[in-house]
Amino acid sequence: MAYLTLEDGTIFKGESFGKQADVMGEVVFNTGMTGYQEVLTDPSYCGQIVTMTYPLIGNYGIDEDMSESDRPKVSAFVMREKCSEPSNWNCKMTLEEYLDKNNIIGLAGIDTRELTRKLRDKGTMHGIITQVPPSSMQIDEMKNYNIELPVEQVTCKEKYQYSQGSRRLAVLDFGLKRNILRSLEKRDCALTVFPALTDPKEILAGNFDGLMLTNGPGNPKDNGQIIENLKQLIGKMPAFGICLGHQLVALAMGADTEKLKYGHRGSNHPVKDMQRNKVFITSQNHGYTIMSRSLPACAVVSHKSWNDQTIEGVKYIGYPMFTVQFHPEAAPGPEDTAYLFDDFIEIIDREKAKHD
């Protein structure tokens, strides 16, 4: 028996597996039917207890080639039912073996419908998973939980080369998903990946053709030094921001962000491309959004959530730059918005042509 206790005092009982320990985190939910391995290894979930709304998790096992980073980044993984006998020709190990190998707590047997409804009604809450009922001291500590510098926890420690190609791109790693790199590699890009706090002078000295700003965890406003660094990079080369990268660019341009009640996490979120006048299904994982009334005059909203009308994309007039809140690299899918990488390549080639 194990216990998930929310900061409002609600207690859910279940069976723990994987690592046997106590852990705190922000409790969030993901509505994807598949892709649990990609969710586990998405660095944007650093410091979070992730609940899957789909009732059966682990049914196709684990293939580490499908991971989006080197290891799971979640604090804990919550589900209704754990599958112990997966069936998939690519399966290398069970979900339980994978979590145990990586010292991550799993919690099964939870009424995830009730938990998700509570989070939707009251908003995201802190929680603690314990092997015995939590003490009052643990509950007080959980209510004041705050993960320290999550971007610095998940970014690469030193720069590295990822691929070869005719277009040279710098990638600022705020907690990147590997499919961002694969998506650019397919488009003939030579990628140099830099740690999140790299001095902008080093990037500018590389004379890159473009700058990729990746996804990552946490409150964007907690990244003051990165925001200041971006102010020195914006406008110097074509740039494309995804998720946290999207938010950090907005803050660097003078806009503001706010926390959503329970965020957008899943692979079935409708987003309207305002220029193409089409709605696409997107993969999302974020708890913050750009405040529309705070956008500078040069910012044009390019994409909107068709669920709640929040900003999902921005283009900056006068700058070779655009950003989106969702995940066009989409691992797991859908792949509806992969065209945005082609848009980025077009901007890079256009800017290169000006200087040839």
Side-chain angles (χ1 to χ4, degrees), residues 52-67:
M52 299 300 291
T53 62
Y54 189 72
L56 180 64
I57 301 298
N59 52 309
Y60 53 86
I62 297 291
D63 173 11
E64 294 197 77
D65 289 340
M66 302 300 293
S67 294

Side-chain angles (χ1 to χ4, degrees), residues 316-331:
Y316 293 89
I317 305 303
Y319 296 83
M321 176 174 68
F322 68 98
T323 65
V324 294
Q325 183 65 79
F326 51 92
H327 287 267
E329 85 285 352

